[in-house]
Amino acid sequence: MAESIHEKLKSLRDQLHYHSYRYYVLDDPEISDAEYDRLFRELQALEAQHPELITPDSPTQRVGAKPAESFESYQHTLPMLSLDNALNEEEFLAFDARTKRSLETTSDIEYVCEPKLDGLAVELVYINGILMTGATRGDGFVGENVTQNIKTVKSIPLKLLSDKNVIPERLEVRGEVILGIKEFENLNRVREENGEPAFANPRNAAAGSLRQLDPKITASRPLDMFCYGLGQVTGLTFTTHWQFLQTCKALGLKVNPNIRKCTGIDQVLKYYRDITEVRDSLPYEIDGVVIKVNDFALQERLGVRSRSPRWAIAYKFPARQETTQILDIIAQVGRTGALTPVAVMKPVNIGGVEVSRATLHNQDEIDRKDVRVGDWVVVQRAGDVIPEVVQVIRSKRTGKEKKYKLPEKCPVCGSETVRPEGEAARRCVNFSCPAQLKERIFHFASKRAMDIDGLGSKLVDQLVEKGLVKNAADLYFLNKEQLACLERMAEKSADNLLEAIDASRHRSLDRLLFALGIRFVGEHVARVIVKAFGSLERIENATEEELTAVYEVGPQVAKSVVEFFSKQENREIIDRLRAGGVEIKEEVIEEAINLLDGKTIVFTGVLQTCTRREAQDLVEKLGGRASSSVSKKTDFVVIGENPGSKAEKARNLGVRVLTEDEFRQMVGL
Ligand code: JCF
């Protein structure tokens, strides 16, 4: 007998639920995107014929709801508490001591630690395994019902996984909706291209996206969610927080992979240090770690205050933002002549580093943030990037603040500055501007370029100011007498410098290409170009078409390279480098284009250096095929973190298994 429509619908929905879980929660898909799309369209077609059979948990119902007029309010069954903060180790130790005292124990407490996500807290309500409601935290008692938007978040299951699991009648699960850093940057790029205001940080972007009245807009933002807490639950009981989290995982909810059980303070402090270490390599922003008493019976005994539980604490990282006052704004001239406005500020300590200058990026950013001299501002120092001014504190304005415009004359050489149509930067047009020259020489000599040991910025300043060096090639014609007349240059240091310059005559071609300071040609692109063309002569004569044909070389890079080598003065510098004894090497051209010709490659586990999609695109560009299932026909299986069963299967079939590093090496990255 033919399968009934009901059975067919159920089967399609179950398959789609499962594969969406593999892709978005486990990041380990079993089928290709095309196969997924085929199943999805089949379900869509069948539902179109039988609209009365559409269920709220159908995968087709993630998008499709009409824009709302406004959000209804949603009363949480149990209040959604926030967390008390510990701002340093001492405050965390006080929390542990307090906890022990309250529990009348001297033994180590078992905690569960997790990264503290910087997103938007929400609650999901599953009734008999079906997602019925999604709501924001709001004031903790009443939030907004954002169910239609919540349903567009791909890692949130519309239906809990039921195989082997007991499905509770009611499950209220809480967590953080976040937007990854890359996704945030992409979103802002698009917004800027469209003339829309950028979001200040991923958290604001996540909150703004989830509170869209039109769910289609939310659906276009790649939001994600990690679950970390519970509200009211009926039909299931837990004895520990850890057990609750494991159950969440089994039910198909996404739980942060970096959670850890820690007994006693030393293990917690170790966890805090470990997370501090990996913080900047995580794909999303965190601002500390959350520490919770694991045992629910102990949590019960500790109880809650009005707004936060006594059994948990957020141990925050040192602030990366501080407020201070702008004393002046100056324009710095860079290697390409670009004028960067820099705020000179009252010195302020940010996360252990004294900061007195912060970049304002360009005129548009100054105008957008309306930054004025005299303003009080929020300054941020994130990871290893240059401190930047985030926003103005308008309430502190006195009316005496002064607007700033980048100068029309270069502050260093007095030449005209221009801002070409469509570009963000205003530039000094004088190629021989001493500021540009100094930066170019400094870059040329820097560690990752020609690596001339001991040629620091002070020395470069003197060489340029005394007229001894007018371009990088002049370095190779310096002699001891000339160096002797520089300040703080003893005979020994002159010898050392000449020796270092001599050593740099034999660097690889990709270093030399990077050292030339061509716009948009960073270290990596220089390597890519050298590998593709092999000799400086071929690079000098390459056309834009030939350059863009190389993987990872875009039109902007190509244009800039061609422009650089079309200039007489640049060609002369290269001739003079050669005359100065710089060896211009050749490199064997690697057949990069079809490196993976006809090969089938499977990725499994979480890749660390790129997304799975990017890796698959790369394989295709190199002539290979990216597949999602391992068979005897597979040539390589590339394993990321937590690889799962495919690596095992590959080994059993005798298929070669590569680590991510080995794969990158194979394709020359
Ligand atoms: O990651 C977070 N922002 C986070 C917030 C994690 C948690 O485990 C939380 C929380 C807020 C309240 N737990 C509670 C109880």
Side-chain angles (χ1 to χ4, degrees):
M1 200 190 90
E3 205 176 8
S4 78
I5 301 289
H6 281 96
E7 279 164 21
K8 183 70 196 159
L9 282 169
K10 180 171 187 322
S11 151
L12 283 169
R13 284 172 191 156
D14 285 351
Q15 287 180 71
L16 286 162
H17 280 308
Y18 176 70
H19 291 300
S20 152
Y21 165 74
R22 299 287 315 193
Y23 191 94
Y24 290 102
V25 179
L26 301 184
D27 193 18
D28 189 16
E30 280 182 359
I31 61 172
S32 68
D33 294 357
E35 280 171 272
Y36 185 90
D37 289 345
R38 199 181 51 69
L39 289 170
F40 192 86
R41 277 194 297 269
E42 196 179 340
L43 175 61
Q44 259 179 336
L46 207 55
E47 286 183 345
Q49 288 169 17
H50 305 277
E52 72 285 359
L53 300 181
I54 298 177
T55 53
D57 68 317
S58 172
T60 59
Q61 301 306 295
R62 283 206 187 267
V63 222
K66 292 202 175 56
E69 295 276 326
S70 62
F71 294 119
E72 282 173 23
S73 53
Y74 177 84
Q75 168 119 32
H76 299 288
T77 319
L78 298 172
M80 280 181 81
L81 301 171
S82 58
L83 293 168
D84 194 17
N85 289 328
L87 299 179
N88 49 51
E89 185 170 320
E90 198 183 338
E91 292 182 5
F92 163 68
L93 295 180
F95 162 80
D96 178 70
R98 199 163 57 231
T99 304
K100 284 184 184 161
R101 209 176 324 116
S102 304
L103 295 173
E104 296 172 316
T105 177
T106 51
S107 328
D108 284 345
I109 310 269
E110 185 173 81
Y111 295 109
V112 175
C113 302
E114 58 184 285
K116 181 169 185 294
L117 303 164
D118 208 2
L120 181 75
V122 301
E123 178 170 78
L124 311 176
V125 185
Y126 288 90
I127 307 290
N128 294 318
I130 308 293
L131 176 64
M132 298 307 283
T133 309
T136 61
R137 173 175 180 276
D139 64 5
F141 301 97
V142 177
E144 286 175 318
N145 184 324
V146 288
T147 308
Q148 293 310 331
N149 292 344
I150 281 289
K151 281 187 165 183
T152 69
V153 179
K154 302 283 200 349
S155 56
I156 297 179
L158 299 178
K159 186 178 175 203
L160 298 175
L161 284 184
S162 52
D163 45 318
K164 293 179 281 176
N165 293 312
V166 176
I167 296 297
E169 283 141 40
R170 184 183 186 90
L171 173 68
E172 295 180 354
V173 58
R174 290 151 181 198
E176 204 83 355
V177 168
I178 57 170
L179 188 69
I181 294 166
K182 264 206 191 131
E183 290 74 15
F184 160 73
E185 284 167 354
N186 285 341
L187 174 60
N188 267 356
R189 209 178 41 241
V190 173
R191 286 176 74 83
E192 262 159 28
E193 276 163 17
N194 295 338
E196 296 163 317
F199 287 109
N201 52 51
R203 188 202 30 228
N204 288 3
S209 301
L210 199 62
R211 297 190 62 258
Q212 287 290 331
L213 289 170
D214 184 353
K216 287 205 173 55
I217 299 180
T218 313
S220 74
R221 313 271 171 85
L223 295 169
D224 202 348
M225 178 180 178
F226 286 114
C227 298
Y228 53 62
L230 73 177
Q232 194 185 61
V233 183
T234 50
L236 250 188
T237 52
F238 312 97
T239 53
T240 65
H241 183 56
W242 186 262
Q243 187 197 9
F244 162 71
L245 293 175
Q246 299 310 317
T247 305
C248 282
K249 269 200 250 181
L251 290 170
L253 294 157
K254 198 162 173 175
V255 173
N256 196 294
N258 289 304
I259 56 170
R260 195 190 289 171
K261 248 194 284 193
C262 294
T263 303
I265 49 173
D266 289 342
Q267 286 185 13
V268 173
L269 295 176
K270 167 87 165 59
Y271 178 82
Y272 180 86
R273 285 196 301 273
D274 289 347
I275 294 294
T276 305
E277 273 241 328
V278 299
R279 178 180 187 186
D280 288 331
S281 59
L282 292 175
Y284 43 80
E285 283 201 342
I286 61 173
D287 58 354
V289 303
V290 179
I291 298 141
K292 293 182 173 173
V293 171
N294 188 25
D295 191 322
F296 279 155
L298 297 185
Q299 283 192 5
E300 187 93 14
R301 275 173 58 196
L302 288 159
V304 299
R305 300 179 202 85
S306 61
R307 322 252 34 208
S308 59
R310 284 202 182 81
W311 40 261
I313 195 153
Y315 183 179
K316 304 265 282 234
F317 295 133
R320 287 174 162 184
Q321 288 195 340
E322 280 298 340
T323 61
T324 183
Q325 193 178 18
I326 297 185
L327 306 173
D328 194 8
I329 297 178
I330 57 171
Q332 261 177 13
V333 185
R335 176 154 61 86
T336 58
L339 267 56
T340 304
V342 174
V344 180
M345 309 167 304
K346 274 192 190 151
V348 62
N349 187 308
I350 310 181
V353 176
E354 177 124 310
V355 174
S356 60
R357 288 179 173 227
T359 180
L360 291 159
H361 300 294
N362 55 49
Q363 188 69 51
D364 285 352
E365 283 292 288
I366 294 184
D367 297 345
R368 185 172 70 75
K369 294 173 185 158
D370 187 20
V371 180
R372 306 180 189 181
V373 175
D375 265 334
W376 281 85
V377 289
V378 176
V379 182
Q380 163 170 284
R381 189 181 67 83
D384 32 52
V385 303
I386 319 168
E388 63 169 351
V389 171
V390 181
Q391 68 184 128
V392 172
I393 304 169
R394 279 170 197 259
S395 58
K396 288 212 182 191
R397 282 227 168 123
T398 63
K400 291 206 182 109
E401 296 75 16
K402 291 206 172 55
K403 290 201 180 195
Y404 176 83
K405 281 263 168 290
L406 279 170
E408 311 220 320
K409 295 262 181 286
C410 172
V412 176
C413 72
S415 303
E416 207 196 337
T417 66
V418 296
R419 179 173 170 187
E421 182 106 20
E423 287 192 23
R426 177 171 279 279
R427 283 172 206 283
C428 162
V429 295
N430 174 17
F431 186 76
S432 315
C433 169
Q436 290 187 43
L437 194 50
K438 285 175 185 174
E439 291 297 326
R440 280 202 300 272
I441 307 281
F442 182 69
H443 167 78
F444 183 87
S446 66
K447 186 114 203 116
R448 286 136 76 133
M450 297 299 267
D451 191 15
I452 304 181
D453 200 21
L455 189 53
S457 60
K458 293 254 160 62
L459 209 48
V460 172
D461 286 356
Q462 287 195 69
L463 289 170
V464 170
E465 278 157 24
K466 291 226 154 59
L468 292 173
V469 171
K470 295 199 172 59
N471 60 53
D474 289 343
L475 292 170
Y476 297 98
F477 292 89
L478 290 170
N479 59 43
K480 213 165 158 182
E481 289 71 56
Q482 290 171 317
L483 292 183
C485 71
L486 302 178
E487 285 162 42
R488 280 184 295 169
M489 180 59 75
E491 192 178 322
K492 181 83 181 120
S493 24
D495 282 338
N496 288 345
L497 182 59
L498 287 174
E499 220 168 274
I501 291 173
D502 188 41
S504 77
R505 287 189 163 101
H506 311 285
R507 302 278 178 243
S508 57
L509 182 56
D510 58 289
R511 276 178 177 260
L512 179 62
L513 186 64
F514 171 57
L516 291 175
I518 305 169
R519 261 183 98 194
F520 308 120
V521 179
E523 257 184 304
H524 177 68
V525 167
R527 232 172 284 147
V528 168
I529 293 176
V530 165
K531 270 190 190 152
F533 291 89
S535 77
L536 188 57
E537 205 191 326
R538 277 193 288 271
I539 298 170
E540 282 179 82
N541 297 319
T543 63
E544 286 187 34
E545 293 72 44
E546 288 167 335
L547 282 156
T548 40
V550 177
Y551 179 65
E552 287 189 299
V553 176
Q556 207 181 27
V557 173
K559 183 156 178 278
S560 170
V561 171
V562 170
E563 213 167 86
F564 183 89
F565 290 112
S566 70
K567 288 196 178 127
Q568 188 57 29
E569 65 254 37
N570 291 331
R571 294 225 173 209
E572 275 170 20
I573 290 172
I574 289 164
D575 287 341
R576 206 166 140 70
L577 282 167
R578 217 181 256 117
V582 174
E583 186 190 356
I584 299 189
K585 299 189 178 182
E586 299 225 350
E587 249 197 47
V588 197
I589 303 175
E590 276 183 33
E591 259 313 322
I593 301 305
N594 286 323
L595 214 55
L596 298 177
D597 205 13
K599 298 270 190 280
T600 300
I601 299 194
V602 174
F603 293 91
T604 179
V606 186
L607 300 176
Q608 304 299 299
T609 59
C610 61
T611 65
R612 183 179 300 247
R613 193 63 56 87
E614 284 164 351
Q616 290 169 344
D617 282 349
L618 174 62
V619 166
E620 271 156 34
K621 282 227 161 126
L622 297 178
R625 203 175 76 83
S627 166
S628 49
S629 57
V630 179
S631 74
K632 275 189 296 199
K633 294 206 188 99
T634 310
D635 292 285
F636 304 106
V637 171
V638 180
I639 53 169
E641 236 164 62
N642 303 323
S645 62
K646 282 183 207 169
E648 179 92 29
K649 186 166 174 195
R651 287 195 190 93
N652 291 339
L653 288 171
V655 172
R656 189 152 158 224
V657 176
L658 299 172
T659 64
E660 191 173 342
D661 264 357
E662 287 167 337
F663 170 73
R664 288 178 69 83
Q665 260 175 18
M666 183 168 87
V667 298
L669 287 178

